[in-house]
């Protein structure tokens, strides 16, 4: 997860921050499971919770993949800096067509 934290926030998480985030995530998962079970009962609530966890994970993964800089905005914090340096441009010999085959 350090790589994703660095991708979004441009720095690695501190050790205490990583531990706090893991604890908060565990508590949030436990609370959401408890609410699902309380609302629908053990049979349906737990099954629905288990089915919805991958949906939420895929949605957030796509959000991180498509736009890492906008992911904090979803959590209530927006960033204005680009999370990653721009991709290097192609070497001049590639742009000019030099070095390519004859195209037969």
């Amino acid at each position: 997860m350090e790589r994703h934290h660095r991708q979004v926030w441009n720095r690695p998480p501190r050790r205490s921050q990583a531990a706090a985030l893991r604890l908060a995530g565990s508590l949030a998962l436990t609370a959401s499971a408890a609410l699902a079970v309380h609302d629908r009962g053990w049979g349906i609530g737990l099954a629905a919770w288990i089915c919805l966890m991958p949906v939420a994970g895929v949605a957030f993964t796509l959000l991180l993949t498509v736009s890492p800089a906008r992911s904090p905005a979803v959590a209530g914090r927006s960033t204005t800096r680009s999370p990653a340096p721009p991709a290097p441009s192609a070497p001049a010999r590639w742009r000019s067509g030099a070095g390519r085959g004859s195209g037969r």
Side-chain angles (χ1 to χ4, degrees):
M1 294 313 231
E2 179 181 330
R3 185 186 91 188
H4 301 298
H5 192 277
R6 185 184 306 265
Q7 184 181 23
V8 173
W9 303 104
N10 294 322
R11 62 178 173 79
R14 292 183 308 274
R15 203 176 272 227
S16 61
Q17 184 181 23
L21 288 171
R22 282 190 195 102
L23 179 63
S26 298
L27 291 175
L29 285 172
T30 303
S32 67
L35 288 172
V37 168
H38 177 70
D39 187 46
R40 301 283 181 171
W42 280 103
I44 301 296
L46 193 58
W49 180 79
I50 289 171
C51 290
L52 288 176
M53 285 298 108
V55 173
V58 166
F60 195 71
T61 300
L62 289 174
L63 179 64
L64 278 174
T65 303
V66 172
S67 180
R70 292 185 186 172
S71 300
V74 172
R77 181 182 183 276
S78 64
T79 60
T80 55
R81 294 177 17 181
S82 174
S89 62
R93 65 184 180 93
W94 291 354
R95 288 190 299 267
S96 66
R100 293 186 187 164
S102 61
R104 292 182 204 177

